[in-house]
Amino acid sequence: MFIYLDNAATTRVCPEAAQAALEVMTEGFGNPSSRYALGSAAAERLERDRAVVAAALGCLSEEVVFTSCGTEGDNWAIRAAVEHGRRKGKHIVTTAIEHAAVLEPIRALEREGYEVTWLRPDREGRISPQAVEDALRPDTVLVSMMLVNNELGTLLPVREAGEAIRRSGCPALLHTDAVQGFLKVPFTPAELGADLLTVSGHKVRAPKGVGALYIRKGLKLKPLLLGGGQERGLRPGTEPTAQIAALAAACAAWLPHREAYAAHMRAVKDRFLALAEERLSGAVVLSRGDAPHICALSLPGYPSEMLVRELGDRGICVSSGSACHRGKPSHVFAATGRPKRELMGALRVSFSPDSTAEEAEALVSALEEIRRARIPAGR
Ligand code: PLP
């Protein structure tokens, strides 16, 4: 038995998704491009699954292209967006707290000669909408800003970025990495003003190996790969029908409970934070998280890596942040500019609709126990 409180890293596949994948792998396993009944049934199911994912996103079916993961969607969107704007300019706006799947392709573009404005957050991890507006220029071709930060759970001003782009008249496309926001916070791509939006299956109880990129209707984008004509030629490769069926089933299972799940995750998180503040003297809440499922806490003097290991030994899974290793805080925590002592003890705790208050209490008790057994470092 273990307690899994690292749902921003990945989630347990829900029974509906596992069942759908099994069905497609063992019964409806035809290639959607094959011209006999098994193939056409697979093609029809693929389109039904696309419609379910589109409904969960709040967009048209034709605006959804399946990918293999969030990283693929982010890389493709960024490369294709700058290619789209290549005659209009070489300026990109993004934030210092993006996931590596956005940071790295933008750093690569910077090395290739693009000019990048990196927006920095405040201590709470918030990006100011005014800073986005001020960063826009007539030659800005891409604004890429995540919807929910994966380590802090903060909401970024994507909607305001969309409005600012429209007001400024600059040619920028707006891309948002909504991997952590999908199904957890309410949005539609149109409401956000997004041209491109990335989601990933394994954060929402579908298996790893599937994601989707929303491409606004009418936007002509360069394909990710060249090959057969799948996904309207935009993302060729035989469709991973089992993973796609599982993603659709996970969305269909989540959608009717969206608000109840959000309220439940928020209640468990609030219970965890209240207990931590009450029972772990000196603990610092780094972020309460606007999104219902993520928060970050620090026990100054107790290095994150040690805490994650000790909790793991007790069967409790949490994270130290996406890249908190070799004595360095993650780039996200570091960007908040908090004192190093706080950052070095950072833990990210992330919940799912299955998480319980008892699990949150067990985590606080385990942290109490670890603190009693250990003398803090760097006093
Ligand atoms: N973007 C964010 C905000 C994430 O949290 C993650 C995964 O941790 C990704 C992108 C990458 O998604 P995937 O693991 O599907 O490649």
Side-chain angles (χ1 to χ4, degrees):
M1 263 299 282
F2 58 87
I3 292 178
Y4 187 75
L5 295 175
D6 198 13
N7 291 280
T10 197
T11 55
R12 183 196 294 271
V13 171
C14 67
E16 292 86 344
Q19 185 57 39
L22 185 66
E23 253 168 52
V24 171
M25 286 190 288
T26 56
E27 304 291 332
F29 60 87
N31 185 326
S33 302
S34 297
R35 309 246 175 261
Y36 40 76
L38 193 65
S40 31
E44 278 161 28
R45 171 151 199 170
L46 177 64
E47 291 318 309
R48 283 201 303 277
D49 289 338
R50 193 188 310 280
V52 173
V53 175
L57 273 166
C59 67
L60 302 171
S61 287
E62 65 199 87
E63 293 175 314
V64 174
V65 178
F66 290 113
T67 61
S68 69
C69 60
T71 301
E72 179 181 312
D74 284 341
N75 272 263
W76 178 22
I78 289 164
R79 277 277 162 190
V82 297
E83 175 69 24
H84 181 269
R86 74 186 185 286
R87 292 206 183 82
K88 297 176 186 147
K90 290 194 96 177
H91 178 237
I92 298 170
V93 177
T94 190
T95 82
I97 58 171
E98 297 298 313
H99 189 274
V102 167
L103 283 186
E104 292 304 329
I106 292 186
R107 278 189 190 135
L109 288 167
E110 204 172 24
R111 288 192 294 275
E112 288 168 27
Y114 278 82
E115 206 186 319
V116 181
T117 301
W118 298 94
L119 303 174
R120 301 195 68 78
D122 64 13
R123 268 169 68 91
E124 263 65 56
R126 292 185 198 289
I127 301 284
S128 116
Q130 189 58 45
V132 186
E133 179 129 34
D134 294 347
L136 297 176
R137 311 190 320 206
D139 62 341
T140 309
V141 287
L142 169 66
V143 175
S144 183
M145 179 185 285
M146 69 200 322
L147 188 59
V148 170
N149 182 267
N150 51 306
E151 296 186 42
L152 298 163
T154 45
L155 267 170
L156 278 75
V158 177
R159 192 181 315 257
E160 290 84 343
E163 286 162 5
I165 292 171
R166 281 195 295 278
R167 268 198 305 277
S168 77
C170 77
L173 291 179
L174 176 62
H175 166 245
T176 183
D177 171 339
V179 166
Q180 294 293 346
F182 183 43
L183 296 177
K184 320 258 170 63
V185 299
F187 71 85
T188 68
E191 249 168 58
L192 296 175
D195 300 290
L196 296 157
L197 183 146
T198 311
V199 298
S200 172
H202 71 105
K203 312 291 185 180
V204 292
R205 311 210 284 194
K208 294 155 194 66
V210 64
L213 182 66
Y214 159 87
I215 306 175
R216 178 180 48 74
K217 189 178 172 184
L219 178 61
K220 293 271 169 289
L221 220 56
K222 210 174 163 191
L224 174 71
L225 303 167
L226 301 176
Q230 296 94 340
E231 298 296 275
R232 288 179 284 124
L234 287 167
R235 203 289 185 188
T238 302
E239 301 88 340
T241 48
Q243 285 92 328
I244 290 170
L247 173 57
C251 290
W254 192 302
L255 217 50
H257 310 289
R258 193 199 279 232
E259 282 168 24
Y261 282 176
H264 174 76
M265 292 189 283
R266 195 176 294 286
V268 177
K269 178 169 75 169
D270 287 349
R271 174 84 182 134
F272 165 68
L273 289 172
L275 277 182
E277 285 177 309
E278 186 187 310
R279 288 175 29 196
L280 302 168
S281 63
V284 179
V285 176
L286 298 176
S287 174
R288 311 190 86 83
D290 306 309
H293 63 305
I294 302 178
C295 64
L297 180 88
S298 166
L299 298 187
Y302 296 85
S304 324
E305 283 174 339
M306 180 279 283
L307 292 172
V308 169
R309 202 179 47 245
E310 291 265 342
L311 288 168
D313 290 347
R314 289 166 171 78
I316 302 180
C317 310
V318 300
S319 153
S320 58
S322 67
C324 190
H325 64 282
R326 291 193 213 107
K328 271 195 177 163
S330 81
H331 70 283
V332 174
F333 290 134
T336 62
R338 285 179 178 267
K340 195 162 178 217
R341 214 173 120 76
E342 284 181 18
L343 300 180
M344 296 312 293
L347 288 181
R348 175 188 69 183
V349 185
S350 50
F351 303 92
S352 86
D354 303 324
S355 303
T356 64
E358 291 71 33
E359 290 177 330
E361 284 162 22
L363 170 58
V364 175
S365 301
L367 287 170
E368 266 183 316
E369 208 178 285
I370 295 166
R371 282 220 316 193
R372 268 199 302 276
R374 290 253 181 181
I375 300 161
R379 267 246 215 250

mmCIF file of all heavy atoms in Angstrom, residues 300-336:
data_model
loop_
_atom_site.group_PDB
_atom_site.id
_atom_site.type_symbol
_atom_site.label_atom_id
_atom_site.label_comp_id
_atom_site.label_asym_id
_atom_site.label_seq_id
_atom_site.Cartn_x
_atom_site.Cartn_y
_atom_site.Cartn_z
ATOM 1 N N PRO A 300 12.221 24.550 5.728
ATOM 2 C CA PRO A 300 13.586 25.070 5.623
ATOM 3 C C PRO A 300 14.530 24.279 6.533
ATOM 4 O O PRO A 300 14.189 23.966 7.667
ATOM 5 C CB PRO A 300 13.446 26.527 6.085
ATOM 6 C CG PRO A 300 12.011 26.861 5.845
ATOM 7 C CD PRO A 300 11.254 25.589 6.087
ATOM 8 N N GLY A 301 15.692 23.955 5.993
ATOM 9 C CA GLY A 301 16.676 23.188 6.768
ATOM 10 C C GLY A 301 16.592 21.693 6.511
ATOM 11 O O GLY A 301 17.470 20.938 6.936
ATOM 12 N N TYR A 302 15.546 21.264 5.828
ATOM 13 C CA TYR A 302 15.399 19.834 5.513
ATOM 14 C C TYR A 302 15.365 19.700 3.992
ATOM 15 O O TYR A 302 14.346 20.029 3.369
ATOM 16 C CB TYR A 302 14.102 19.271 6.121
ATOM 17 C CG TYR A 302 14.111 19.308 7.627
ATOM 18 C CD1 TYR A 302 13.720 20.463 8.317
ATOM 19 C CD2 TYR A 302 14.548 18.211 8.365
ATOM 20 C CE1 TYR A 302 13.759 20.519 9.701
ATOM 21 C CE2 TYR A 302 14.581 18.258 9.762
ATOM 22 C CZ TYR A 302 14.195 19.407 10.420
ATOM 23 O OH TYR A 302 14.234 19.462 11.774
ATOM 24 N N PRO A 303 16.478 19.262 3.379
ATOM 25 C CA PRO A 303 16.541 19.262 1.909
ATOM 26 C C PRO A 303 15.445 18.396 1.270
ATOM 27 O O PRO A 303 15.147 17.302 1.757
ATOM 28 C CB PRO A 303 17.921 18.664 1.606
ATOM 29 C CG PRO A 303 18.682 18.716 2.884
ATOM 30 C CD PRO A 303 17.702 18.757 4.016
ATOM 31 N N SER A 304 14.879 18.921 0.204
ATOM 32 C CA SER A 304 13.777 18.231 -0.480
ATOM 33 C C SER A 304 14.117 16.786 -0.832
ATOM 34 O O SER A 304 13.289 15.899 -0.679
ATOM 35 C CB SER A 304 13.425 18.903 -1.798
ATOM 36 O OG SER A 304 13.545 20.253 -1.750
ATOM 37 N N GLU A 305 15.342 16.611 -1.359
ATOM 38 C CA GLU A 305 15.691 15.254 -1.826
ATOM 39 C C GLU A 305 15.618 14.249 -0.685
ATOM 40 O O GLU A 305 15.155 13.126 -0.857
ATOM 41 C CB GLU A 305 17.089 15.250 -2.427
ATOM 42 C CG GLU A 305 17.097 15.838 -3.812
ATOM 43 C CD GLU A 305 18.493 15.985 -4.393
ATOM 44 O OE1 GLU A 305 19.474 16.003 -3.614
ATOM 45 O OE2 GLU A 305 18.588 16.073 -5.615
ATOM 46 N N MET A 306 16.073 14.697 0.503
ATOM 47 C CA MET A 306 16.026 13.826 1.679
ATOM 48 C C MET A 306 14.565 13.552 2.061
ATOM 49 O O MET A 306 14.175 12.420 2.334
ATOM 50 C CB MET A 306 16.797 14.503 2.827
ATOM 51 C CG MET A 306 16.845 13.741 4.133
ATOM 52 S SD MET A 306 15.372 13.913 5.157
ATOM 53 C CE MET A 306 15.622 15.535 5.846
ATOM 54 N N LEU A 307 13.758 14.615 2.051
ATOM 55 C CA LEU A 307 12.345 14.444 2.434
ATOM 56 C C LEU A 307 11.628 13.486 1.485
ATOM 57 O O LEU A 307 10.895 12.603 1.924
ATOM 58 C CB LEU A 307 11.632 15.805 2.430
ATOM 59 C CG LEU A 307 12.066 16.800 3.509
ATOM 60 C CD1 LEU A 307 11.436 18.162 3.265
ATOM 61 C CD2 LEU A 307 11.690 16.297 4.909
ATOM 62 N N VAL A 308 11.872 13.650 0.174
ATOM 63 C CA VAL A 308 11.204 12.791 -0.813
ATOM 64 C C VAL A 308 11.624 11.333 -0.601
ATOM 65 O O VAL A 308 10.801 10.414 -0.649
ATOM 66 C CB VAL A 308 11.522 13.267 -2.256
ATOM 67 C CG1 VAL A 308 11.080 12.244 -3.292
ATOM 68 C CG2 VAL A 308 10.871 14.612 -2.523
ATOM 69 N N ARG A 309 12.925 11.140 -0.306
ATOM 70 C CA ARG A 309 13.431 9.772 -0.086
ATOM 71 C C ARG A 309 12.819 9.170 1.187
ATOM 72 O O ARG A 309 12.311 8.060 1.190
ATOM 73 C CB ARG A 309 14.952 9.827 0.014
ATOM 74 C CG ARG A 309 15.649 8.518 -0.290
ATOM 75 C CD ARG A 309 17.159 8.627 -0.209
ATOM 76 N NE ARG A 309 17.625 9.318 0.976
ATOM 77 C CZ ARG A 309 18.265 10.473 0.992
ATOM 78 N NH1 ARG A 309 18.501 11.112 -0.136
ATOM 79 N NH2 ARG A 309 18.662 11.031 2.124
ATOM 80 N N GLU A 310 12.849 9.959 2.254
ATOM 81 C CA GLU A 310 12.331 9.450 3.549
ATOM 82 C C GLU A 310 10.826 9.178 3.467
ATOM 83 O O GLU A 310 10.336 8.203 4.012
ATOM 84 C CB GLU A 310 12.605 10.463 4.664
ATOM 85 C CG GLU A 310 14.084 10.607 5.001
ATOM 86 C CD GLU A 310 14.516 9.730 6.166
ATOM 87 O OE1 GLU A 310 13.640 9.285 6.922
ATOM 88 O OE2 GLU A 310 15.724 9.489 6.299
ATOM 89 N N LEU A 311 10.114 10.064 2.771
ATOM 90 C CA LEU A 311 8.669 9.830 2.603
ATOM 91 C C LEU A 311 8.452 8.584 1.753
ATOM 92 O O LEU A 311 7.578 7.763 2.047
ATOM 93 C CB LEU A 311 7.992 11.048 1.951
ATOM 94 C CG LEU A 311 7.854 12.290 2.837
ATOM 95 C CD1 LEU A 311 7.455 13.505 1.994
ATOM 96 C CD2 LEU A 311 6.827 12.070 3.956
ATOM 97 N N GLY A 312 9.281 8.440 0.717
ATOM 98 C CA GLY A 312 9.190 7.262 -0.150
ATOM 99 C C GLY A 312 9.398 5.986 0.652
ATOM 100 O O GLY A 312 8.697 4.990 0.440
ATOM 101 N N ASP A 313 10.355 6.024 1.584
ATOM 102 C CA ASP A 313 10.606 4.837 2.428
ATOM 103 C C ASP A 313 9.376 4.492 3.261
ATOM 104 O O ASP A 313 9.185 3.353 3.662
ATOM 105 C CB ASP A 313 11.795 5.084 3.372
ATOM 106 C CG ASP A 313 13.112 5.146 2.608
ATOM 107 O OD1 ASP A 313 13.126 4.766 1.427
ATOM 108 O OD2 ASP A 313 14.113 5.607 3.197
ATOM 109 N N ARG A 314 8.549 5.509 3.538
ATOM 110 C CA ARG A 314 7.315 5.276 4.307
ATOM 111 C C ARG A 314 6.111 5.033 3.391
ATOM 112 O O ARG A 314 4.970 5.076 3.839
ATOM 113 C CB ARG A 314 7.042 6.486 5.216
ATOM 114 C CG ARG A 314 8.015 6.600 6.382
ATOM 115 C CD ARG A 314 7.906 7.990 7.026
ATOM 116 N NE ARG A 314 8.667 8.071 8.257
ATOM 117 C CZ ARG A 314 9.996 8.221 8.314
ATOM 118 N NH1 ARG A 314 10.702 8.297 7.194
ATOM 119 N NH2 ARG A 314 10.617 8.280 9.480
ATOM 120 N N GLY A 315 6.365 4.906 2.097
ATOM 121 C CA GLY A 315 5.289 4.592 1.145
ATOM 122 C C GLY A 315 4.482 5.810 0.717
ATOM 123 O O GLY A 315 3.348 5.678 0.260
ATOM 124 N N ILE A 316 5.078 7.001 0.868
ATOM 125 C CA ILE A 316 4.343 8.216 0.461
ATOM 126 C C ILE A 316 5.083 8.882 -0.705
ATOM 127 O O ILE A 316 6.286 9.164 -0.603
ATOM 128 C CB ILE A 316 4.209 9.207 1.639
ATOM 129 C CG1 ILE A 316 3.487 8.526 2.807
ATOM 130 C CG2 ILE A 316 3.473 10.470 1.197
ATOM 131 C CD1 ILE A 316 3.300 9.398 4.028
ATOM 132 N N CYS A 317 4.363 9.101 -1.816
ATOM 133 C CA CYS A 317 4.991 9.666 -3.017
ATOM 134 C C CYS A 317 4.613 11.137 -3.166
ATOM 135 O O CYS A 317 3.435 11.456 -3.353
ATOM 136 C CB CYS A 317 4.515 8.935 -4.268
ATOM 137 S SG CYS A 317 4.639 7.148 -4.148
ATOM 138 N N VAL A 318 5.625 12.021 -3.069
ATOM 139 C CA VAL A 318 5.447 13.429 -3.422
ATOM 140 C C VAL A 318 6.675 13.819 -4.242
ATOM 141 O O VAL A 318 7.575 13.006 -4.429
ATOM 142 C CB VAL A 318 5.319 14.362 -2.182
ATOM 143 C CG1 VAL A 318 4.132 13.990 -1.315
ATOM 144 C CG2 VAL A 318 6.597 14.379 -1.371
ATOM 145 N N SER A 319 6.711 15.077 -4.692
ATOM 146 C CA SER A 319 7.816 15.478 -5.567
ATOM 147 C C SER A 319 8.586 16.653 -4.976
ATOM 148 O O SER A 319 8.052 17.446 -4.202
ATOM 149 C CB SER A 319 7.222 15.854 -6.925
ATOM 150 O OG SER A 319 8.032 16.770 -7.586
ATOM 151 N N SER A 320 9.838 16.760 -5.397
ATOM 152 C CA SER A 320 10.635 17.910 -4.954
ATOM 153 C C SER A 320 10.631 18.998 -6.030
ATOM 154 O O SER A 320 11.425 19.915 -5.981
ATOM 155 C CB SER A 320 12.070 17.461 -4.678
ATOM 156 O OG SER A 320 12.595 16.886 -5.845
ATOM 157 N N GLY A 321 9.757 18.878 -7.002
ATOM 158 C CA GLY A 321 9.753 19.851 -8.109
ATOM 159 C C GLY A 321 10.415 19.202 -9.299
ATOM 160 O O GLY A 321 11.138 18.216 -9.158
ATOM 161 N N SER A 322 10.183 19.769 -10.486
ATOM 162 C CA SER A 322 10.552 19.033 -11.691
ATOM 163 C C SER A 322 12.048 18.836 -11.864
ATOM 164 O O SER A 322 12.469 17.909 -12.513
ATOM 165 C CB SER A 322 9.957 19.699 -12.921
ATOM 166 O OG SER A 322 10.554 20.949 -13.110
ATOM 167 N N ALA A 323 12.865 19.721 -11.311
ATOM 168 C CA ALA A 323 14.307 19.553 -11.565
ATOM 169 C C ALA A 323 15.125 19.907 -10.333
ATOM 170 O O ALA A 323 16.179 20.522 -10.440
ATOM 171 C CB ALA A 323 14.715 20.412 -12.750
ATOM 172 N N CYS A 324 14.610 19.567 -9.167
ATOM 173 C CA CYS A 324 15.303 19.948 -7.943
ATOM 174 C C CYS A 324 16.322 18.866 -7.619
ATOM 175 O O CYS A 324 15.994 17.872 -6.986
ATOM 176 C CB CYS A 324 14.278 20.059 -6.827
ATOM 177 S SG CYS A 324 14.922 20.785 -5.351
ATOM 178 N N HIS A 325 17.503 19.035 -8.156
ATOM 179 C CA HIS A 325 18.497 18.011 -7.868
ATOM 180 C C HIS A 325 19.902 18.605 -7.903
ATOM 181 O O HIS A 325 20.103 19.722 -8.348
ATOM 182 C CB HIS A 325 18.339 16.817 -8.820
ATOM 183 C CG HIS A 325 18.590 17.161 -10.245
ATOM 184 N ND1 HIS A 325 17.672 17.804 -11.027
ATOM 185 C CD2 HIS A 325 19.671 16.981 -11.011
ATOM 186 C CE1 HIS A 325 18.180 17.988 -12.233
ATOM 187 N NE2 HIS A 325 19.396 17.508 -12.246
ATOM 188 N N ARG A 326 20.859 17.806 -7.451
ATOM 189 C CA ARG A 326 22.265 18.205 -7.368
ATOM 190 C C ARG A 326 22.424 19.574 -6.704
ATOM 191 O O ARG A 326 23.080 20.480 -7.213
ATOM 192 C CB ARG A 326 22.914 18.207 -8.753
ATOM 193 C CG ARG A 326 23.046 16.797 -9.278
ATOM 194 C CD ARG A 326 23.953 16.730 -10.485
ATOM 195 N NE ARG A 326 23.501 15.690 -11.380
ATOM 196 C CZ ARG A 326 22.900 15.906 -12.550
ATOM 197 N NH1 ARG A 326 22.698 17.113 -12.995
ATOM 198 N NH2 ARG A 326 22.517 14.901 -13.276
ATOM 199 N N GLY A 327 21.729 19.716 -5.562
ATOM 200 C CA GLY A 327 21.934 20.908 -4.746
ATOM 201 C C GLY A 327 21.354 22.189 -5.325
ATOM 202 O O GLY A 327 21.674 23.283 -4.875
ATOM 203 N N LYS A 328 20.521 22.090 -6.357
ATOM 204 C CA LYS A 328 19.957 23.306 -6.967
ATOM 205 C C LYS A 328 18.446 23.246 -6.916
ATOM 206 O O LYS A 328 17.855 22.214 -7.278
ATOM 207 C CB LYS A 328 20.363 23.366 -8.446
ATOM 208 C CG LYS A 328 21.667 24.055 -8.705
ATOM 209 C CD LYS A 328 21.696 24.346 -10.173
ATOM 210 C CE LYS A 328 22.919 25.104 -10.607
ATOM 211 N NZ LYS A 328 23.071 24.983 -12.048
ATOM 212 N N PRO A 329 17.784 24.354 -6.529
ATOM 213 C CA PRO A 329 16.322 24.333 -6.597
ATOM 214 C C PRO A 329 15.870 24.325 -8.053
ATOM 215 O O PRO A 329 16.624 24.711 -8.940
ATOM 216 C CB PRO A 329 15.910 25.643 -5.916
ATOM 217 C CG PRO A 329 17.106 26.512 -5.923
ATOM 218 C CD PRO A 329 18.323 25.636 -6.062
ATOM 219 N N SER A 330 14.641 23.883 -8.314
ATOM 220 C CA SER A 330 14.152 23.866 -9.691
ATOM 221 C C SER A 330 14.075 25.300 -10.214
ATOM 222 O O SER A 330 13.994 26.257 -9.436
ATOM 223 C CB SER A 330 12.758 23.239 -9.740
ATOM 224 O OG SER A 330 11.794 24.200 -9.381
ATOM 225 N N HIS A 331 14.090 25.441 -11.537
ATOM 226 C CA HIS A 331 14.082 26.792 -12.128
ATOM 227 C C HIS A 331 12.814 27.544 -11.736
ATOM 228 O O HIS A 331 12.819 28.765 -11.662
ATOM 229 C CB HIS A 331 14.241 26.708 -13.647
ATOM 230 C CG HIS A 331 13.043 26.134 -14.353
ATOM 231 N ND1 HIS A 331 12.765 24.778 -14.380
ATOM 232 C CD2 HIS A 331 12.026 26.729 -15.027
ATOM 233 C CE1 HIS A 331 11.651 24.577 -15.064
ATOM 234 N NE2 HIS A 331 11.171 25.745 -15.468
ATOM 235 N N VAL A 332 11.731 26.800 -11.488
ATOM 236 C CA VAL A 332 10.465 27.468 -11.130
ATOM 237 C C VAL A 332 10.574 28.045 -9.719
ATOM 238 O O VAL A 332 10.321 29.236 -9.494
ATOM 239 C CB VAL A 332 9.285 26.475 -11.214
ATOM 240 C CG1 VAL A 332 8.000 27.126 -10.706
ATOM 241 C CG2 VAL A 332 9.106 25.986 -12.637
ATOM 242 N N PHE A 333 10.947 27.217 -8.767
ATOM 243 C CA PHE A 333 11.081 27.717 -7.399
ATOM 244 C C PHE A 333 12.133 28.837 -7.367
ATOM 245 O O PHE A 333 11.948 29.857 -6.715
ATOM 246 C CB PHE A 333 11.464 26.578 -6.445
ATOM 247 C CG PHE A 333 10.351 25.583 -6.212
ATOM 248 C CD1 PHE A 333 10.591 24.213 -6.271
ATOM 249 C CD2 PHE A 333 9.060 26.006 -5.934
ATOM 250 C CE1 PHE A 333 9.562 23.288 -6.061
ATOM 251 C CE2 PHE A 333 8.026 25.094 -5.725
ATOM 252 C CZ PHE A 333 8.285 23.736 -5.785
ATOM 253 N N ALA A 334 13.249 28.632 -8.077
ATOM 254 C CA ALA A 334 14.322 29.642 -8.067
ATOM 255 C C ALA A 334 13.812 30.982 -8.612
ATOM 256 O O ALA A 334 14.171 32.036 -8.089
ATOM 257 C CB ALA A 334 15.515 29.146 -8.876
ATOM 258 N N ALA A 335 12.943 30.936 -9.630
ATOM 259 C CA ALA A 335 12.463 32.180 -10.250
ATOM 260 C C ALA A 335 11.604 33.010 -9.299
ATOM 261 O O ALA A 335 11.413 34.211 -9.510
ATOM 262 C CB ALA A 335 11.682 31.864 -11.524
ATOM 263 N N THR A 336 11.093 32.407 -8.242
ATOM 264 C CA THR A 336 10.267 33.188 -7.313
ATOM 265 C C THR A 336 11.141 34.057 -6.404
ATOM 266 O O THR A 336 10.620 34.913 -5.691
ATOM 267 C CB THR A 336 9.392 32.269 -6.413
ATOM 268 O OG1 THR A 336 10.252 31.437 -5.622
ATOM 269 C CG2 THR A 336 8.455 31.407 -7.232
#
